[in-house]
Amino acid sequence: MALVGRNGSIDWLCLPRFDSAACFAALLGDEGAGFWRIAPRSGGSCTRRRYREGSLVLETEWDTPEGTVRVSDAMPPRDGAADVVRIVEGVSGRVPMQMELRLRFDYGHIVPWVKREGGRLSAIAGPDSVWLDTPARLQGQDFTTVAEFEVSAGERVPFVLTHHPSHEPAPSRKVGTHVLESTDAFWKTWMSQLHYDGEWDEAVRRSLITLKALTYQPTGGIVAAATTSLPESLGGVRNWDYRYCWLRDATFTLQALLGTGFVAEAAAWRDWLLRAVAGDPSDLQIMYAIDGTRRLSELELDWLPGYEGASPVRIGNAAAGQLQLDVWGEVLDGLHVARGAGLATVGDAWDLQLALLEYLEGHWQDPDNGLWEVRGPRRDFVHSKVMAWAGMDRAVQAVERFGLEGPVDRWRLLRSQIHAEVCEYGYDADRRTFTQFYGSQGLDAALLLIPQVGFLPWDDPRVSGTVDAVQRELVEDGFVLRYRPDADGGVDGLPGIEGAFLACSFWLVDALSGIGRYEEALSHFERLLALRNDVGLLSEEYDPRHRRQVGNTPQAFSHVGLVNSARHLSGTRPATAAST
């Protein structure tokens, strides 16, 4: 995934995979870390930009004194190589243009050997090579490849950048203009599967396209975001690598895909999930690489100063080694959703679930690090216990509804035991709310999921009381924090604060709708839609103080939340609201 700025510069690109080392990393430093800019020679931000309707082809336009020019950007479906195609097109007048390409492999650390071969530009260092095809005249300036040219109305100048293993023969050339149209057609064909007739069609479409764009097609894995180390707090240290697949996202993602008609993508994600968690159930991780790799060693890149000075820049994620008991329940719940939707059973999938259940039976009472990967001491997090309950509940339903075999009486008994313990130790009757962990004075936005997973019915007063408490204690400027980092003496073991977590804000929308406060839910949802950037993308969080998105971007969890909230609101709209 290439991130393109309003100035026409690609400042972040990892090739050939989401989790490969970046060859453009100016996003986390400066232009010395690599970038690729195509813009009018006069520079500046664009006049307007947009995605083509139903597509991931980006069109950026500048109105200049000399005329109007458009740059169209696309990453075509793979045919063995990873490509970025950029087409400069004159719209009116004759516009002087400049192309600047500074390739820096290994997150800006390695300057490649650049040369011209057969009318093409190649850049090679170690295992990587990148090739540039263009009819524009290229020249070298200060370790940067530059092209200056003019484009008139109707003229097109293509640039095609291709990544290729350096030990293999040069990749075949591509005609950029043809690839642009075939890429556009690919996305429109894919979107034709959509089944959604609610009010927020444009936002849902853009979010689903983004979710598809975050999918690694060979395995079906969906990364949490395309970036690493974009800070949760501007200038702070809460900077993490999100280019991996989180098990916590499984159920919500399946619901979003299955609920909008994208069965093949849901099946591929389910299959990735089964492969990733196969093996000893005690070794279950909270996240894996897009191919299921388990070892995600965390490193700090000290040569990059970080986004707007927020350091350290990290690659890998040490949280992969944490104990988060909720993931056993998340996996079992996700596979239950797939089963309920009629996805074809895969081999010994039930045997794998039996192994997960056996582990959960023996360990559900263990303290853990919780859903949010806190780096403080382990606690009895309420959400983790609720998800243990959900795992047992899905096992009972597998026997009762789907005829699978298992010790259902034992599971029913344990389900009741977990439920009773959570209600006794995880609920504060004086404050009328569930708490972040047993005995905690803090709250957790994940408590909003208690009725969604079926732990309590929507009309239970403990549900509405918890929703009220979250609004009272975790909402800032109308958006929901995951938790208060300073609660209970500092629950997560890290300095600083963070922004409002957008997925949690969508959970509040769902909770308000579920307890019958539709108009309030609708108001929150529309405020969230207004946070999207100019092309409809959402990051991980929103900073109410600085009024800007923060955290890694684009964030799958945020877009999944948007899709699911739109589905819920469309399905629960009161007759009076629908007629106004």
Side-chain angles (χ1 to χ4, degrees), residues 529-547:
L529 290 184
L531 297 184
R532 296 176 298 154
N533 75 352
D534 57 319
V535 289
L537 299 180
L538 288 171
S539 299
E540 177 190 17
E541 299 184 3
Y542 176 73
D543 186 333
R545 296 165 303 146
H546 296 94
R547 298 192 178 277

Side-chain angles (χ1 to χ4, degrees), residues 71 84 150 159 346 350 367 388 411:
V71 175
V84 180
E150 294 184 350
F159 296 83
V346 177
W350 179 239
W411 290 339

Side-chain angles (χ1 to χ4, degrees), residues 359-424:
Y359 179 85
L360 190 57
E361 285 184 76
H363 293 272
W364 70 269
Q365 291 180 305
D366 294 349
D368 72 324
N369 296 103
L371 171 70
W372 304 123
E373 301 146 29
V374 299
R375 301 198 177 194
R378 291 181 177 179
R379 318 263 192 169
D380 288 306
F381 285 97
V382 170
H383 175 73
S384 297
K385 308 303 185 190
V386 168
M387 291 312 301
W389 174 92
M392 290 300 148
D393 178 73
R394 292 355 177 217
V396 171
Q397 291 193 51
V399 174
E400 294 177 345
R401 291 178 52 195
F402 299 100
L404 297 173
E405 295 184 0
V408 67
D409 290 336
R410 192 173 80 220
W411 290 339
R412 287 194 193 102
L413 183 62
L414 185 54
R415 180 179 63 176
S416 297
Q417 181 183 347
I418 298 171
H419 196 281
E421 180 181 296
V422 171
C423 291
E424 180 176 357

Side-chain angles (χ1 to χ4, degrees), residues 48-302:
R48 57 193 161 269
R49 62 177 184 166
R50 61 186 173 272
Y51 283 115
R52 290 188 184 180
E53 184 177 354
S55 168
L56 203 66
V57 175
L58 178 69
E59 296 182 335
T60 305
E61 294 182 353
W62 287 262
D63 293 336
T64 74
E66 297 84 4
T68 298
V69 65
R70 176 187 305 128
V71 175
S72 298
D73 294 322
M75 295 186 76
R78 295 284 177 89
D79 59 356
D83 307 295
V84 180
V85 177
R86 314 194 74 182
I87 309 294
V88 181
E89 181 179 2
V91 177
S92 66
R94 186 170 180 82
V95 182
M97 298 291 294
Q98 184 177 58
M99 188 282 301
E100 297 174 275
L101 173 67
R102 182 175 295 171
L103 285 157
R104 295 293 183 267
F105 295 145
D106 193 28
Y107 304 99
H109 194 239
I110 297 175
V111 179
W113 184 262
V114 178
K115 59 182 178 179
R116 290 185 177 86
E117 293 187 36
R120 321 171 74 184
L121 188 81
S122 69
I124 298 174
D128 298 301
S129 73
V130 168
W131 299 73
L132 179 66
D133 290 297
T134 179
R137 181 176 174 273
L138 304 175
Q139 58 183 349
Q141 293 180 5
D142 299 325
F143 295 97
T144 302
T145 300
V146 176
E148 294 189 347
F149 57 98
E150 294 184 350
V151 61
S152 298
E155 290 183 347
R156 283 185 163 193
V157 181
F159 296 83
V160 180
L161 191 78
T162 303
H163 178 275
H164 201 67
S166 61
H167 64 279
E168 294 183 1
S172 59
R173 297 175 184 266
K174 285 189 174 155
V175 180
T177 52
H178 296 166
V179 169
L180 194 67
E181 300 310 320
S182 63
T183 302
D184 190 51
F186 164 84
W187 285 105
K188 287 179 167 59
T189 299
W190 184 77
M191 279 305 298
S192 67
Q193 304 172 72
L194 175 66
H195 296 301
Y196 172 79
D197 57 1
E199 179 178 344
W200 302 280
D201 182 76
E202 179 274 329
V204 168
R205 286 175 178 270
R206 181 52 50 200
S207 288
L208 287 166
I209 289 172
T210 304
L211 194 59
K212 174 71 169 176
L214 290 166
T215 302
Y216 185 59
Q217 189 275 335
T219 66
I222 302 174
V223 295
T227 57
T228 179
S229 300
L230 292 183
E232 296 172 2
S233 176
L234 294 172
V237 300
R238 297 170 182 264
N239 316 320
W240 316 111
D241 194 345
Y242 273 27
R243 297 171 299 157
Y244 305 114
C245 307
W246 265 254
L247 298 190
R248 72 172 185 206
D249 302 355
T251 300
F252 299 107
T253 303
L254 285 167
Q255 289 170 341
L257 292 170
L258 291 168
T260 51
F262 295 99
V263 177
E265 283 72 20
W269 174 235
R270 187 274 314 269
D271 293 348
W272 176 90
L273 186 64
L274 286 170
R275 292 191 303 271
V277 305
D280 187 341
S282 67
D283 292 333
L284 198 65
Q285 295 187 178
I286 68 168
M287 72 184 85
Y288 297 82
I290 52 179
D291 59 2
T293 296
R294 292 169 177 254
R295 196 177 301 279
L296 308 177
S297 301
E298 185 173 296
L299 302 173
E300 296 183 2
L301 307 185
D302 57 10

Side-chain angles (χ1 to χ4, degrees), residues 290-366:
I290 52 179
D291 59 2
T293 296
R294 292 169 177 254
R295 196 177 301 279
L296 308 177
S297 301
E298 185 173 296
L299 302 173
E300 296 183 2
L301 307 185
D302 57 10
W303 62 87
L304 288 173
Y307 181 81
E308 296 188 3
S311 63
V313 171
R314 297 180 174 97
I315 59 172
N317 200 311
Q322 288 186 346
L323 173 64
Q324 293 185 19
L325 281 171
D326 64 289
V327 298
W328 278 263
E330 303 284 3
V331 172
L332 292 164
D333 189 29
L335 296 175
H336 173 78
V337 168
R339 189 160 46 238
L343 291 185
T345 302
V346 177
D348 54 1
W350 179 239
D351 290 336
L352 173 60
Q353 291 167 76
L354 289 172
L356 294 174
L357 285 160
E358 183 178 0
Y359 179 85
L360 190 57
E361 285 184 76
H363 293 272
W364 70 269
Q365 291 180 305
D366 294 349

